[in-house]
Amino acid sequence: MPAQRLQQYLDQQGVKYRVISHSPAFTAQEVAEAAHIPGRVMAKVVIMTLDGQMAMIVVPAPKIIHPDSLARSLSAQEATFLHENNFREKFPDCEVGALPPFGNLYEMPVYIDTELAHQEEIVFSAGSYRELFSLPMKDYLRLVQPTEIGR
């Protein structure tokens, strides 16, 4: 079942989205393959701390995040991956590995990879291991207003 908070938010904002059901998959790349979605439009959500502040990092599924490079690109002293036990309670309506890239709904800053931000659409886990949402990137950027992370 998709994250209720997200679904209500998109409906209230009048955003058109598609729900894509797929067999259970757990990594962003596996989800993209199971749903026959190109990895470049499939968003992978990673929770990190940037100088001690929790942040949501959104990148294309195949991309690997290098904390030191990320810190440099955001002028942060330190970027650190967070274990799910340290943020699970912030997302009570989501399965931990299936967080939607809407940090604004969870009081968390969002950073998006430039490569992903320039796609026509964004596809992401909708709070469960079985469902994805797809919506126009322009709508996502308008609603979330993430900070772009350079190339």
Side-chain angles (χ1 to χ4, degrees), residues 1-8 93-94 100 106 126-128 133:
M1 186 161 161
Q4 294 296 339
R5 186 183 308 192
L6 173 62
Q7 196 163 13
Q8 290 171 353
D93 56 345
C94 301
Y106 301 92
S128 82
F133 279 13

Side-chain angles (χ1 to χ4, degrees), residues 31-49:
V31 170
E33 290 169 13
H36 307 290
I37 303 291
R40 71 181 180 282
V41 301
M42 178 70 204
K44 172 169 59 179
V45 174
V46 179
I47 306 299
M48 300 183 75
T49 58

Side-chain angles (χ1 to χ4, degrees), residues 1-115:
M1 186 161 161
Q4 294 296 339
R5 186 183 308 192
L6 173 62
Q7 196 163 13
Q8 290 171 353
Y9 179 66
L10 293 175
D11 290 344
Q12 288 169 352
Q13 297 298 317
V15 173
K16 300 287 185 213
Y17 57 89
R18 282 187 306 135
V19 177
I20 304 165
S21 295
H22 61 86
S23 57
F26 300 96
T27 69
Q29 192 62 41
E30 287 173 353
V31 170
E33 290 169 13
H36 307 290
I37 303 291
R40 71 181 180 282
V41 301
M42 178 70 204
K44 172 169 59 179
V45 174
V46 179
I47 306 299
M48 300 183 75
T49 58
L50 301 174
D51 292 338
Q53 180 184 8
M54 201 178 298
M56 182 176 280
I57 311 300
V58 183
V59 298
K63 188 159 192 158
I64 296 171
I65 297 172
H66 299 282
D68 292 341
S69 298
L70 179 66
R72 278 193 301 279
S73 71
L74 295 174
S75 301
Q77 296 296 312
E78 182 180 55
T80 308
F81 291 106
L82 274 180
H83 188 274
E84 65 186 41
N85 292 338
N86 296 320
F87 60 83
R88 180 187 316 255
E89 70 283 348
K90 280 193 84 71
F91 303 92
D93 56 345
C94 301
E95 294 180 83
V96 174
L99 304 179
F102 282 76
N104 55 314
L105 298 180
Y106 301 92
E107 300 176 9
M108 187 178 297
V110 179
Y111 298 86
I112 188 170
D113 182 84
T114 297
E115 180 184 338

